[in-house]
Amino acid sequence: MNDKKTISGFSSMRKRDKIKWMAKTFFTDPEAVIHELSSYWHSSDEQQKILDGFSENTISNFPMPFGVAPNFLIDDKTYCVPMVIEESSVVAAASAAAKFWMSRGGIHTEVIGTKKLGQVHFLWYKDPEILKSTFAKAKEKMLKESASIEANMKQRGGGILDIELIDLTKSKENYYQLKASFETCDSMGANFINTCLEQFAQSLKNFYAAHFGDNSGIEIIMSILSNYTPECLVKAWVECPIEDLGEFKGGLNAAAFAKRFKDAIDIAEIDPYRAATHNKGIYNGIDAVVLATGNDFRAIEACGHAYAAENGYSSLSHCELKDGNFYFYLEVPLAIGTVGGLTSLHPIAKRSLELLEKPSAKKLMRIIAATGLAQNFAAVRSLVTTGIQEGHMKMHLQNILVQLKATDEEFEKAISHFQDRMVSFAAVREFLSKNRKLISPN
Ligand code: MEV
């Protein structure tokens, strides 16, 4: 194909040549693009090499804001939580909610479980009874042959917990699974689990080949961890006497606020359209800490939404008003790590973990869940009182002012002008241009 937009051998080109080709092929201002992209390279070659090592075909770095939310009192200890997020208001909202609860006992957490899962999917073409009656022996072989892979993890207190045989032939002809469970201690454990699973698959295949030769009756389809880990679960909650909630914007007293807040949570429990937005608000907080600590936010989100959908998609958080008490809690699966992977390689992720005083994986589960809960509290509190736009618009105004290159003086004037007016790009531009004309009529 003679298409100028296709290329072969791209991955082995030098970075500068990759950028040059891309800029010249896809942009009308290639020199500006080359200049801009290379301006985001790290000033240290050594650091840039580390960043380049995380992916392929890297041409530059993609900056994201790295913020912190202080005043998080979690299980009687104060944290300053690192958050990487591009959405304005999220860090401010998390900080405000953390401060609100700090004077009401803080956020409490409990790790319910840390079990990780993996599967070997296979087809069995012989009599099902043969598979079932020989499985104990096959399992023995799988465990024995993965002992060397498991040794290190075992030393750290983890390892393979169990391997179960699951019959799924009712859903798909001949289809069975090995469902294996693991304890991976402070690591997320993806590599360990996948290596074990591939060994299980090999051992299983060999076991039946030894019995039945070439026509062993087994066909391995694939071996991979499951990102759905409902038993790697953490709970975070806040509680206080309703009267201690205080007064709220919009003229709501504590009792009226508590009722309306619970109504909002009930709605997210019964309506999936609202639940998705509600849970998205929770993940604004969760993902930001997950990213800041070098964990895999796609895995965390996939798992959380699968968990939320267990009995029809619903809210991950719940609220109870009982005996004059306000009780708001979140239960969320979080398969994360504080050693291995990016956690120690990424220079800022490493600093995030230091900021949190080098937590164990369990401690980090608690911190992340607490941040998700605080984020959710802040969002729902705004929604049922002032509405979400009040806070958003302040940040939106600032972003527009930056875009329009407003001076410090113009910033101040605009913020005071738009305090009780609708913010839009056009309105801010008009305000600035009128103001500029007043100062310099030419
Ligand atoms: C926006 O990023 C998140 C919210 O929509 C969450 C919610 O509605 O609960 C404000």
Side-chain angles (χ1 to χ4, degrees):
M1 192 170 32
N2 186 17
D3 179 351
K4 282 195 184 125
K5 290 184 180 169
T6 62
I7 186 167
S8 57
F10 184 74
S11 63
S12 43
M13 276 160 63
R14 286 173 356 158
K15 193 195 287 183
R16 269 183 198 286
D17 296 332
K18 281 185 184 137
I19 298 187
K20 220 189 253 173
W21 174 81
M22 185 208 65
K24 288 193 169 148
T25 313
F26 294 95
F27 290 84
T28 50
D29 53 349
E31 289 312 318
V33 171
I34 293 168
H35 177 74
E36 189 164 6
L37 287 178
S38 35
S39 76
Y40 287 100
W41 289 354
H42 202 287
S43 55
S44 145
D45 285 351
E46 201 185 323
Q47 289 294 324
Q48 187 55 51
K49 219 173 182 173
I50 294 173
L51 297 175
D52 286 342
F54 298 153
S55 186
E56 301 80 34
N57 289 348
T58 52
I59 50 171
S60 188
N61 304 308
F62 186 92
M64 287 267 281
F66 176 58
V68 292
N71 301 322
F72 262 88
L73 183 64
I74 305 170
D75 302 323
D76 295 325
K77 194 171 152 62
T78 307
Y79 294 91
C80 179
V81 177
M83 300 178 81
V84 171
I85 184 140
E86 85 299 348
E87 183 177 332
S88 55
S89 307
V90 168
V91 177
S95 309
K99 202 163 174 198
F100 179 90
W101 284 105
M102 187 168 227
S103 55
R104 291 166 178 82
I107 303 173
H108 314 277
T109 68
E110 181 194 348
V111 173
I112 297 167
T114 56
K115 195 189 273 183
K116 313 269 170 62
L117 299 172
Q119 300 166 308
V120 176
H121 306 268
F122 66 95
L123 303 179
W124 176 257
Y125 298 106
K126 290 191 186 295
D127 180 353
E129 278 320 305
I130 298 176
L131 179 65
K132 286 173 191 169
S133 62
T134 51
F135 182 69
K137 278 256 166 289
K139 179 171 162 180
E140 220 172 85
K141 181 177 168 71
M142 287 188 272
L143 290 174
K144 193 167 161 220
E145 291 179 356
S146 43
S148 63
I149 303 168
E150 195 194 10
N152 255 341
M153 192 59 86
K154 238 181 163 164
Q155 243 174 21
R156 289 192 261 147
I160 302 159
L161 302 177
D162 197 11
I163 311 173
E164 291 168 80
L165 175 68
I166 312 282
D167 180 347
L168 287 160
T169 50
K170 284 210 174 82
S171 306
K172 178 176 167 66
E173 205 180 356
N174 305 322
Y175 172 38
Y176 292 85
Q177 268 180 16
L178 297 181
K179 184 181 180 197
S181 47
F182 304 86
E183 170 55 57
T184 60
C185 305
D186 283 336
S187 66
M188 196 265 189
N191 267 333
F192 167 68
I193 294 174
N194 287 332
T195 310
C196 286
L197 292 170
E198 287 187 8
Q199 179 59 56
F200 297 163
Q202 192 58 48
S203 303
L204 192 69
K205 211 168 136 190
N206 292 347
F207 179 82
Y208 290 106
H211 273 69
F212 302 113
D214 283 349
N215 184 17
S216 65
I218 191 165
E219 184 185 350
I220 305 288
I221 303 296
M222 59 188 163
S223 315
I224 185 74
L225 64 71
S226 171
N227 282 122
Y228 183 39
T229 52
E231 290 177 82
C232 188
L233 194 66
V234 56
K235 176 176 175 177
W237 70 96
V238 286
E239 59 187 331
C240 72
I242 290 175
E243 64 204 29
D244 289 358
L245 288 168
E247 294 284 313
F248 290 84
K249 284 186 186 165
L252 279 186
N253 65 26
F257 168 79
K259 181 188 173 301
R260 198 180 288 176
F261 187 94
K262 179 176 161 38
D263 285 340
I265 305 296
D266 291 350
I267 290 167
E269 281 174 1
I270 58 176
D271 174 35
Y273 290 89
R274 172 58 201 151
T277 320
H278 179 93
N279 290 341
K280 188 272 184 185
I282 294 173
Y283 281 97
N284 275 345
I286 289 182
D287 282 356
V289 191
V290 167
L291 252 176
T293 55
N295 276 286
D296 181 343
F297 61 93
R298 287 90 56 212
I300 295 297
E301 283 254 0
C303 183
H305 293 295
Y307 187 73
E310 216 166 28
N311 300 305
Y313 192 82
S314 177
S315 167
L316 287 165
S317 65
H318 310 278
C319 182
E320 287 168 19
L321 307 179
K322 227 162 98 188
D323 304 327
N325 263 312
F326 177 86
Y327 177 59
F328 174 48
Y329 72 99
L330 166 71
E331 243 178 45
V332 68
L334 285 174
I336 47 92
T338 54
V339 298
L342 278 202
T343 57
S344 51
L345 288 176
H346 193 291
I348 308 287
K350 206 165 136 192
R351 290 295 186 201
S352 292
L353 289 166
E354 284 169 15
L355 175 65
L356 297 172
E357 299 177 30
K358 300 192 179 170
S360 63
K362 277 188 183 169
K363 185 68 84 46
L364 186 58
M365 285 169 79
R366 293 170 184 270
I367 295 167
I368 295 173
T371 312
L373 182 78
Q375 202 71 57
N376 190 214
F377 178 80
V380 177
R381 177 174 64 173
S382 293
L383 288 169
V384 301
T385 54
T386 58
I388 207 75
Q389 286 309 81
E390 187 186 83
H392 273 199
M393 279 306 154
K394 263 189 219 148
M395 303 296 284
H396 187 45
L397 173 61
Q398 289 185 15
N399 287 340
I400 295 174
L401 289 168
V402 170
Q403 249 176 304
L404 293 172
K405 299 193 170 37
T407 62
D408 288 351
E409 196 184 329
E410 286 172 336
F411 245 84
E412 235 173 79
K413 281 188 179 156
I415 283 168
S416 132
H417 176 82
F418 282 101
Q419 208 138 38
D420 48 8
R421 288 180 172 86
M422 276 289 279
V423 175
S424 71
F425 191 86
V428 179
R429 190 172 46 196
E430 195 187 327
F431 172 79
L432 282 185
S433 98
K434 267 191 191 153
N435 206 48
R436 282 169 185 169
K437 267 188 203 139
L438 276 179
I439 296 166
S440 148
N442 304 324

